Amino acid sequence: MAFYKHILYTGLSDEDLMRYVARGKEKAFTELYRRYGNKMLIFFYQRLYQDKEKAEDFLHDLFLKIIENPQSFNTNKKFSTWIYAVAYNQCKNEYRKNASGLTKKERYTLDSSLDICENPSFENDYDLKTFSESLELELQKMDDKHGLTFILRHQDGLAIKEISKIMQCSEGTVKSRLFYAIKRLAQKLQIFKGQIKNN
């Protein structure tokens, strides 16, 4: 019977799982962690200077907030947008706390993922590595808002609407930032033409 109940949890939406978490259902929380734990760990790792211990600490704090105060989530809203917004604010607070001692390069070590290119057609790992390094260097030159908007869209795969909620700006602003970021990258990375797409 316990196994059957767990299967029921796996079929629930994120929002329904949060309703059960608010009632103290441990397996509902476990299912949410299964869905988002690794995603959010990567999110923190890439945005917190590739510091694994710090990323794990932030992940712990994020899910602790869910356990301690599940009522802070409005179950009529989309959970994925909410959890990214909470994580994004955690990172912003960390940046503010350490801003005086950070270089721009350190703030952007988060952008070095190889997954940014959605449809890679590189002939070998060397070309992919070269593209990733070149893309990272160009992202380092962008301001935080444009660079992070690009990452949320093309690495994390979030919708325009979700990004607008996370970054607390209009959808038009998100689209404008993406247009600017992609135009700049296309100009700077012409050798990799066709690898970056404005979807």
Side-chain angles (χ1 to χ4, degrees):
M1 182 62 72
F3 178 75
Y4 177 70
K5 288 182 178 179
H6 182 66
I7 291 297
L8 286 180
Y9 282 123
T10 63
L12 293 177
S13 68
D14 298 337
E15 295 73 29
D16 284 336
L17 286 173
M18 279 300 291
R19 292 185 181 98
Y20 280 107
V21 171
R23 294 186 215 167
K25 301 297 184 181
E26 182 179 346
K27 288 182 179 178
F29 174 81
T30 300
E31 175 62 17
L32 272 177
Y33 189 87
R34 184 189 70 79
R35 295 180 188 182
Y36 287 92
N38 193 54
K39 287 181 182 179
M40 303 319 296
L41 180 61
I42 294 171
F43 181 92
F44 286 129
Y45 177 76
Q46 293 173 333
R47 285 155 184 78
L48 297 172
Y49 333 117
Q50 297 187 0
D51 184 327
K52 185 178 180 181
E53 289 186 7
K54 185 181 286 291
E56 290 174 345
D57 288 343
F58 273 63
L59 180 69
H60 174 78
D61 290 343
L62 174 63
F63 279 92
L64 188 60
K65 290 177 182 178
I66 293 176
I67 293 174
E68 293 181 338
N69 191 22
Q71 293 80 9
S72 62
F73 170 65
N74 181 347
T75 54
N76 293 319
K77 303 292 185 179
K78 191 170 182 179
F79 177 79
S80 59
T81 301
W82 178 80
I83 194 171
Y84 271 103
V86 174
Y88 174 61
N89 284 329
Q90 284 180 261
C91 292
K92 281 205 304 185
N93 291 336
E94 178 70 6
Y95 294 156
R96 289 193 189 106
K97 186 173 72 174
N98 298 314
S100 60
L102 289 179
T103 66
K104 190 172 183 67
K105 181 174 178 61
E106 288 172 327
R107 292 199 303 273
Y108 270 105
T109 55
L110 56 96
D111 292 331
S112 60
S113 170
L114 300 183
D115 296 326
I116 293 173
C117 178
E118 296 181 350
N119 299 295
S121 58
F122 298 102
E123 294 182 357
N124 54 58
D125 290 341
Y126 176 79
D127 290 337
L128 179 58
K129 184 173 184 294
T130 302
F131 169 75
S132 179
E133 291 173 348
S134 299
L135 178 59
E136 179 186 358
L137 288 173
E138 293 305 324
L139 285 169
Q140 289 171 12
K141 299 174 185 177
M142 289 187 193
D143 62 74
D144 293 350
K145 291 179 180 178
H146 289 89
L148 185 54
T149 299
F150 180 87
I151 294 300
L152 288 173
R153 177 63 175 148
H154 291 281
Q155 177 184 304
D156 296 329
L158 298 186
I160 301 295
K161 187 174 183 179
E162 291 178 297
I163 298 171
S164 72
K165 292 179 180 178
I166 291 170
M167 302 193 74
Q168 299 179 346
C169 62
S170 70
E171 292 181 32
T173 298
V174 172
K175 292 177 182 178
S176 176
R177 289 174 181 173
L178 283 172
F179 178 81
Y180 169 85
I182 291 170
K183 182 179 179 181
R184 179 183 175 87
L185 290 172
Q187 292 172 342
K188 299 294 183 180
L189 303 173
Q190 290 185 20
I191 191 173
F192 303 105
K193 185 178 180 181
Q195 302 307 317
I196 301 174
K197 297 184 179 182
N198 189 2
N199 297 323

